[in-house]
Amino acid sequence: ATNIVVDSAGVGLHKASAYGARISLSTCHSIPSSAFTVIRYNSIEYDPSSTFNASSGTFTAPLSGFYAVHATVSFGVSSGGIRSTIIAVQAVEHTRGGQHSVAFNSGIPETSLVSGMVLLSKNDVLDIRAYQSTGASLSILSTQTRLSLQFMGQ
């Protein structure tokens, strides 16, 4: 019985299902050069416990335990600079995804991925941050910019 929770509609859900979220980006937005910037995923596809805040781009842990986190960020087409993505907990870098340099404009958007098993305390705040160093603002594209979080247990 401890692995079952009841949602606001009175439906019993397994704890791992109840405390997860899948969010995407529905519109493009720009991030500045040379600063890690919170991605404000704004299209909540699944979040039965209302743990994700689309206006701030943050997830608040409803329980202490391990969470599987997987995020992709699709950067607009541009040449030069570095692209990187991190998982931040309490506004501090926790896990860094792949970091890569873009030497030339291939005409194909660059996608950065970060995944990890993150130990959170109840009410810890998690967000995904992207970095780019083109020297100018760069668009984050809605295609392939997604975040999935899943409570795995204590």
Side-chain angles (χ1 to χ4, degrees):
T2 59
N3 286 329
I4 303 294
V5 294
V6 178
D7 70 7
S8 60
V11 176
L13 297 170
H14 188 271
K15 211 181 258 190
S17 297
Y19 299 119
R22 179 173 164 83
I23 304 100
S24 61
L25 187 66
S26 64
T27 57
C28 300
H29 66 86
S30 293
I31 62 169
S33 182
S34 303
F36 275 101
T37 304
V38 175
I39 301 300
R40 287 188 167 71
Y41 297 89
N42 57 1
S43 180
I44 298 173
E45 298 167 15
Y46 175 81
D47 185 11
S49 297
S50 300
T51 54
F52 190 80
N53 181 329
S55 64
S56 65
T58 59
F59 170 82
T60 302
L63 297 173
S64 294
F66 289 95
Y67 291 79
V69 180
H70 178 81
T72 57
V73 175
S74 184
F75 292 90
V77 175
S78 179
S79 59
I82 294 171
R83 315 288 187 277
S84 185
T85 308
I86 64 170
I87 298 169
V89 177
Q90 302 297 95
V92 175
E93 180 179 336
H94 180 280
T95 304
R96 185 179 293 257
Q99 178 172 307
H100 55 278
S101 297
V102 179
F104 64 94
N105 185 341
S106 65
I108 300 171
E110 297 287 329
T111 299
S112 181
L113 166 71
V114 63
S115 293
M117 188 66 66
V118 181
L119 178 60
L120 298 175
S121 296
K122 183 177 181 176
N123 295 322
D124 273 356
V125 176
L126 178 146
D127 61 61
I128 304 299
R129 296 171 186 228
Y131 176 90
Q132 60 87 14
S133 64
T134 61
S137 292
L138 185 63
S139 289
I140 299 297
L141 307 176
S142 57
T143 56
Q144 304 304 317
T145 299
R146 297 189 173 18
L147 169 62
S148 296
L149 303 114
Q150 187 68 54
F151 177 73
M152 300 306 290
Q154 297 170 331

